Amino acid sequence: MGTPVKDITLPDNAPKTLLLQKHADYIAAYGNKKDDYEYIMTEYLRMNGMYWGLTALSLAGQLDRMDKKEVISFAKSCQTEGGGVACSVGHDPHMLSTLSAVQILTLYDAVDNLNVETLVSWVAGLQQDDGSFSGDKWGEVDTRFSFCAVACLSLLGRLDAINVDKAVDFVLSCMNFDGGFGCRPGSESHSGQIYCCVGLLAITGYLHKINTDQLGWWLCERQLPSGGLNGRPEKLPDVCYSWWVLASMAAIGRLHWIDKDKLRAFMLACQDEETGGFADRPGDMVDPFHTLFGLAGLSLLGDESVQPVNPVYCMPENIIRRLNLSTTDDAENS
């Protein structure tokens, strides 16, 4: 007999409808609990957390519940002298928090509150000779940072500041025999890294370099009997992979290879009916991270109560269209 597949069983009493208003209330309240232990201990994630929460509210059509001036002021205060943006005041700048800040200010059409030129120079300065990007001055290289750099600059209309061809070549060098991508050449394929690499290729117009059927097959095999998706073989399902996997499949035109009804049932079961918010799995603690990706994943599944989401930028589709950013090429026809 083979080894049993790692999975979960959905509780019979799990939620079966989307509790959108409760999720919006949860996110809106989360930002006001500045004295809570959890809030204080996540300072190193503050900018990313604001992006998760504000984008979730935006997808729920309730971005106006947050104080726009306060948000813009905070993002502006986190830009460092060198141009990069830190997760919070007094921290070092990083590519992850820099992209989050640009996304936040793009939601408000307020990127001009940053010193864009120094930010662009800072991002461009982190590109390495092989086309890869480090996340900060300490030099860690990861395809996540390649995506962050390209997404950030494309939102600012400044892809001209980097060597795009080299950036694409590095990402393609991270492609594996199974069609997936890892964090560096030779690294294991992982759904999160695949999202980053597919996203970079979508933004730069190189999706046709992907073997879409091979990658699509690897991605659709992430679905478990419970309906949930995992990040790689032999792992438990997690709501956040409903985004990383679904968004990648949407970008390459293979979203129809997933059992959408079973996935939707899994995602809805991860909601907390009392507090609002999504957890990674049914019965676990909710958080803004999984709440955003739960809502964004349901948007990709066609839930019309959630605003349409762009599968590459994880931002409302209407904003990406306003910026006239194309995220598809002829991959769907290859």
Side-chain angles (χ1 to χ4, degrees):
M1 291 179 64
T3 305
V5 175
K6 287 185 178 179
D7 199 5
I8 65 161
T9 301
L10 300 187
D12 291 336
N13 63 346
K16 294 176 174 58
T17 58
L18 176 59
L19 311 170
L20 186 62
Q21 190 55 49
K22 277 188 174 288
H23 302 320
D25 292 344
Y26 162 73
I27 293 292
Y30 191 90
N32 294 323
K33 297 176 181 177
K34 295 182 173 58
D35 293 328
D36 280 12
Y37 176 80
E38 182 183 359
Y39 186 90
I40 293 167
M41 291 304 292
T42 55
E43 184 182 55
Y44 70 100
L45 284 173
R46 184 72 67 240
M47 192 68 70
N48 308 86
M50 288 180 66
Y51 157 70
W52 301 328
L54 291 167
T55 305
L57 279 176
S58 188
L59 292 176
Q62 298 186 37
L63 183 60
D64 58 356
R65 293 183 65 173
M66 304 309 287
D67 187 324
K68 177 179 177 179
K69 287 185 179 179
E70 185 181 354
V71 170
I72 292 173
S73 176
F74 176 77
K76 185 176 181 178
S77 71
C78 291
Q79 184 171 26
T80 60
E81 204 171 297
V85 183
C87 59
S88 195
V89 177
H91 289 246
D92 287 340
H94 196 280
M95 196 74 82
L96 295 172
S97 47
T98 298
L99 173 59
S100 290
V102 170
Q103 289 172 308
I104 288 167
L105 293 176
T106 300
L107 286 175
Y108 288 111
D109 194 19
V111 290
D112 55 355
N113 282 273
L114 294 173
N115 185 326
V116 173
E117 286 307 313
T118 60
L119 188 155
V120 168
S121 296
W122 181 82
V123 171
L126 290 174
Q127 187 169 29
Q128 310 301 302
D129 291 340
D130 63 357
S132 66
F133 283 84
S134 55
D136 57 19
K137 66 181 181 181
W138 306 112
E140 180 190 6
V141 167
D142 189 307
T143 47
R144 288 181 302 155
F145 310 145
S146 292
F147 170 74
C148 288
V150 166
C152 183
L153 294 178
S154 67
L155 287 169
L156 297 172
R158 290 302 310 275
L159 275 175
D160 60 295
I162 59 170
N163 189 322
V164 172
D165 290 339
K166 275 194 166 186
V168 168
D169 287 343
F170 174 75
V171 163
L172 291 175
S173 76
C174 298
M175 188 188 298
N176 292 321
F177 70 92
D178 54 18
F181 295 83
C183 57
R184 288 183 292 277
S187 296
E188 176 188 13
S189 294
H190 186 282
S191 300
Q193 306 295 151
I194 288 170
Y195 165 80
C196 292
C197 293
V198 168
L200 182 145
L201 296 173
I203 291 169
T204 56
Y206 283 91
L207 274 178
H208 58 279
K209 294 287 188 178
I210 294 174
N211 183 330
T212 49
D213 282 348
Q214 188 179 32
L215 176 57
W217 180 251
W218 189 93
L219 289 168
C220 76
E221 284 203 314
R222 304 281 57 78
Q223 189 162 33
L224 297 167
S226 65
L229 301 168
N230 63 17
R232 51 199 169 108
E234 298 304 313
K235 296 296 182 181
L236 288 171
D238 185 322
V239 158
C240 72
Y241 293 114
S242 303
W243 172 255
W244 311 121
V245 173
L246 275 190
S248 300
M249 297 188 79
I252 64 173
R254 297 297 183 273
L255 197 55
H256 57 289
W257 286 10
I258 286 285
D259 187 326
K260 295 182 181 180
D261 291 338
K262 289 190 72 173
L263 176 56
R264 179 180 169 82
F266 169 82
M267 295 170 72
L268 293 176
C270 295
Q271 302 175 101
D272 189 310
E273 291 180 287
E274 293 183 17
T275 66
F278 282 80
D280 56 350
R281 287 178 280 279
D284 287 353
M285 287 288 290
V286 301
D287 59 68
F289 175 85
H290 289 94
T291 301
L292 166 60
F293 295 125
L295 290 176
L298 288 169
S299 176
L300 287 181
L301 289 177
D303 192 312
E304 294 184 355
S305 64
V306 184
Q307 298 293 315
V309 68
N310 182 274
V312 171
Y313 293 92
C314 195
M315 295 176 67
E317 185 66 63
N318 66 316
I319 290 177
I320 300 306
R321 288 182 178 174
R322 185 190 76 209
L323 296 172
N324 199 28
L325 294 174
S326 174
T327 54
T328 58
D329 61 13
D330 59 350
E332 294 189 22
N333 302 316
S334 61

